[in-house]
Amino acid sequence: MNGDQKSDAYAREKRDFIQHFSQILNVLTEETGQPETGDAIARLKEVLEYNAIGGKYNRGLTVLAAFQELVEPKKQDADSLQRVLTVGWCVELLQAFFLVLDDIMDSSLTRRGQLCWYKKPGIGLDAINDALLMEACIYRLLKLYCREQPYYLNLIELFLQTTYQTETGQTLDLITAPQGDVDLDRFTEKRYKSIVKYKTAFYSFYLPVAAAMYMAGIDGEEEHANAKKILLEMGEFFQIQDDYLDLFGDPSVTGKVGTDIQDNKCSWLVVQCLQRASPEQRQILQENYGQKEAEKVARVKALYEELELPAVFRQYEEDSYSCLMGLIEQYAAPLPPAIFLGLACKIYKRKK
């Protein structure tokens, strides 16, 4: 396949994936024979349409792409593909569940180019229950589409374990960066890597590929352990990009206004800053980090630029990509390297 054919195939897969959402929505909101819950179902429909749609769908599409690499074409029948698309949407619902809650905890304003759900008039902290509804939908879908399949229990356990890992990462993130309590000594590289591994890498990279592997009948511990080695490294790369884009990205492209400095986050940028700062520069950081005032945020950004962190990031991106290629060469087999190479190409030098 040449480049144009690949992009055409990707566009077609993305279209099929997005079209499958209407089926998911119908299944989740159809009449249950319990008219007393009708208003709640109407609310669920509104929640799903606002929060599950509008992202890049990379996680959900990865389930489909990985499955198509792992299973020979003649075994990719219509029913199997329906199940794969559904599991892809389960990953997207998990993401939506996390993001709605994350935005509340971070006091974020926008997400995917629109107001965060909790910021919409009349929503507020009711968004917490809305997020829980989306999480429950994952297990309703898995039961409806996959209950008779041999991999059903593996998928249930995978989603539950990934949810726990992500919530553990969020806990580390929150206790490392309590709002209004700036302690720069907490921002170590070791702590940063732990947060990233648990908060991002498991659900964004290992989960979609592992789900496809189970659906393809690959459940060996060694295959999963090797895939995990590659995918967790990729997740770290992805989160460092995210931290960089939070401050140096274009909000009209990223769809969100970054708040890591205001939120006192243990971000890659602050960790790098602390490794390079003179005592005077550290004092500037101490006085301005974790503060809401625009001039204090600007002062931190100026300090990062003085320390040439954008150039440090560009070098990191090159080095990390080379490291990833080495891991793929070492650990991909017996899985097709294309699964991992396709993911790496999608995120390398991304702008959003």
Side-chain angles (χ1 to χ4, degrees):
M1 241 192 238
N2 64 33
D4 286 347
Q5 286 172 316
K6 273 187 183 169
S7 63
D8 286 351
Y10 179 74
R12 191 168 58 250
E13 284 165 13
K14 188 168 183 176
R15 190 180 62 242
D16 291 348
F17 186 73
I18 294 167
Q19 282 176 348
H20 189 66
F21 179 72
S22 58
Q23 184 180 318
I24 297 287
L25 197 62
N26 288 340
V27 164
L28 291 171
T29 60
E30 66 191 357
E31 291 304 318
T32 58
Q34 296 168 317
E36 66 264 37
T37 62
D39 289 347
I41 298 298
R43 169 66 169 231
L44 172 61
K45 186 171 190 287
E46 189 187 351
V47 169
L48 291 168
E49 287 177 330
Y50 194 89
N51 294 292
I53 293 292
K56 300 185 289 289
Y57 309 114
N58 281 342
R59 293 165 184 82
L61 284 164
T62 297
V63 182
L64 178 61
F67 182 81
Q68 289 174 330
E69 288 287 349
L70 291 168
V71 174
E72 53 186 303
K74 66 179 183 216
K75 290 187 179 170
Q76 295 177 27
D77 57 90
D79 286 349
S80 294
L81 290 171
Q82 287 285 297
R83 287 190 288 271
V84 171
L85 290 168
T86 300
V87 172
W89 273 108
C90 287
V91 176
E92 290 292 324
L93 289 177
L94 188 69
Q95 154 96 333
F97 156 63
F98 291 145
L99 295 185
V100 167
L101 296 177
D102 196 52
D103 286 341
I104 297 169
M105 287 180 258
D106 289 349
S107 306
S108 297
L109 302 174
T110 58
R111 167 76 63 186
R112 295 171 173 172
Q114 58 184 6
L115 272 182
C116 294
W117 177 243
Y118 82 101
K119 278 289 185 187
K120 276 180 68 70
I123 304 294
L125 294 183
D126 291 0
I128 296 167
N129 191 65
D130 295 331
L132 293 171
L133 275 176
M134 287 195 288
E135 185 195 24
C137 286
I138 295 166
Y139 300 98
R140 289 180 63 205
L141 288 170
L142 290 175
K143 184 178 177 182
L144 283 164
Y145 282 83
C146 303
R147 194 181 185 187
E148 305 303 321
Q149 301 305 313
Y151 50 75
Y152 178 55
L153 181 58
N154 280 331
L155 285 185
I156 296 279
E157 290 184 343
L158 176 66
F159 273 91
L160 288 171
Q161 174 72 359
T162 304
T163 301
Y164 176 66
Q165 286 162 329
T166 309
E167 288 163 356
T168 300
Q170 178 73 343
T171 303
L172 285 174
D173 192 14
L174 294 169
I175 62 179
T176 305
Q179 293 198 10
D181 176 16
V182 180
D183 179 358
L184 299 179
D185 290 333
R186 290 194 188 108
F187 298 151
T188 63
E189 186 132 20
K190 185 179 177 191
R191 173 51 64 94
Y192 176 75
K193 284 175 178 277
S194 300
I195 292 170
V196 167
K197 176 180 174 182
Y198 283 91
K199 185 180 172 180
T200 301
F202 278 110
Y203 97 86
S204 295
F205 289 88
Y206 178 64
L207 168 63
V209 175
M213 288 169 69
Y214 284 130
M215 296 181 85
I218 300 167
D219 56 8
E221 278 183 30
E222 189 180 354
E223 287 96 329
H224 278 265
N226 284 344
K228 199 179 287 180
K229 283 191 181 90
I230 300 167
L231 295 161
L232 294 185
E233 187 68 31
M234 211 176 278
E236 185 178 298
F237 175 51
F238 178 85
Q239 185 59 50
I240 290 171
Q241 288 177 312
D242 235 38
D243 289 359
Y244 178 79
L245 292 170
D246 181 88
L247 184 61
F248 291 106
D250 178 350
S252 70
V253 176
T254 62
K256 57 189 175 184
V257 177
T259 58
D260 282 357
I261 293 171
Q262 297 93 312
D263 292 338
N264 188 30
K265 286 292 181 188
C266 182
S267 152
W268 182 81
L269 290 166
V270 79
V271 171
Q272 297 303 311
C273 175
L274 287 165
Q275 288 176 0
R276 293 166 170 77
S278 66
E280 295 77 17
Q281 288 169 321
R282 186 184 172 101
Q283 188 56 38
I284 291 168
L285 194 64
Q286 182 70 53
E287 290 165 4
N288 293 280
Y289 203 73
Q291 314 281 328
K292 302 292 181 197
E293 294 86 350
E295 62 273 15
K296 293 193 172 185
V297 175
R299 187 66 197 90
V300 174
K301 184 175 184 180
L303 176 59
Y304 289 171
E305 286 168 336
E306 283 166 38
L307 291 167
E308 299 184 342
L309 293 192
V312 173
F313 169 74
R314 283 190 289 275
Q315 185 58 52
Y316 162 79
E317 193 168 37
E318 296 300 327
D319 295 345
S320 183
Y321 188 76
S322 300
C323 170
L324 262 181
M325 292 302 114
L327 284 173
I328 291 168
E329 200 171 315
Q330 189 176 355
Y331 291 110
L335 303 182
I339 293 174
F340 306 105
L341 293 169
L343 268 177
C345 289
K346 258 187 214 165
I347 61 172
Y348 181 57
K349 300 222 166 177
R350 70 190 175 98
K351 296 283 181 267
K352 65 175 184 175

